[in-house]
Amino acid sequence: MNSPATDTTQIPDGYRMDAKGRLIPEESIKPIDQARDELAIELVTKAIELNRQLQQFKAAAFGDIETFVQLSAEQYGVNVGGKKGNVTLLSFDGRYKIQRQVADHITFDERLEAAKGLIDECLKDWTSGAGHEVKTIVQDAFRTDKQGNLRTGAVLALRRHDFDDKRWLKAMDAIADAVQVTGSKSYVRIYERIGDTERYQPISLNIAEV
C-alpha cells in the first residue's frame, strides 16, 4: 500500500522503508508489523481526505455566509464593507443556528509596563481591606500562562474596576492604548436546538468531540 505522504523516494518492489529510511525486504517483516503499517496508512489516507473535505466546507460556508450578508444588506440599500464581523443565521423553525465569528489576537506594547507601574503605585498606597483584594486581582491579571504569555482577557478585565484614583484611571488608559491587534482568526460554529428548550448544543466538527 502506498503512503499518503508526498515522498519522491522510489521503493523497489518487495521492499518497505522503515522509520530510519532503510529498505527492508517485505519477507523479513513480521505479518503483524505489515498489518499495523497497512492499517495506519489506511486510516491516515481517510483522515487526509476528511481534512480536505472540512477545508472545502469551511471555505464554502464562509463564502455562502458572506454572500447572504451582502444580499441582505442590498435589500436595505446598505453597503457592507469587509468580511469582519460576527453573524448569526437561524433556520426558519429555529432548530439550527450558524455563527460566523471573527476573533482578534491581541498583544500589548511597551505601554503596558507603564500601566503596571502606575498600578503598583496605587497598591502601595492602598492599605484598606479592599486594597488587599485588589492586589490579588491585579497579581492574577499579570500572571503569565505556561508559554510565558500574558492572559489578555485578565489584563483587559482590570478596566472594569472604576477606582477613584487618577493613577489607576491613567493606568487603565495606558492599557487601552497598549492593545495591539496582531491578527484574527475566523470560525464557523453550528448548533442544534435541544428539543423544545431555548438551549443549543454544538454540532461538533472536531474529531476529538464526536
Side-chain angles (χ1 to χ4, degrees), residues 58-70 79-87 99-104 184-188:
K58 180 179 179 181
F62 275 111
D64 291 345
I65 292 171
E66 182 61 24
T67 298
F68 179 78
V69 169
Q70 295 292 341
N79 181 24
V80 179
K83 296 185 178 180
K84 295 196 67 174
N86 298 336
V87 175
Q99 290 183 332
R100 180 188 72 182
Q101 297 176 317
V102 182
D104 288 331
S184 62
K185 191 169 185 178
S186 301
Y187 303 87
V188 169

Side-chain angles (χ1 to χ4, degrees), residues 175-191:
I175 288 176
D177 293 339
V179 171
Q180 299 290 318
V181 178
T182 58
S184 62
K185 191 169 185 178
S186 301
Y187 303 87
V188 169
R189 293 186 170 93
I190 304 173
Y191 301 86

Side-chain angles (χ1 to χ4, degrees), residues 2 4 15 32 39 127 136 145 151 169 173 184 205:
N2 295 327
Y15 287 83
I32 189 63
L39 176 60
T127 57
T136 301
D145 60 20
R151 297 172 301 130
L169 298 176
D173 288 340
S184 62
L205 300 178

Side-chain angles (χ1 to χ4, degrees), residues 142-162:
F142 285 95
R143 180 168 52 85
T144 58
D145 60 20
K146 293 180 179 179
Q147 287 73 40
N149 301 315
L150 280 171
R151 297 172 301 130
T152 56
V155 174
L156 294 175
L158 290 175
R159 302 181 68 234
R160 293 200 292 262
H161 300 285
D162 189 17

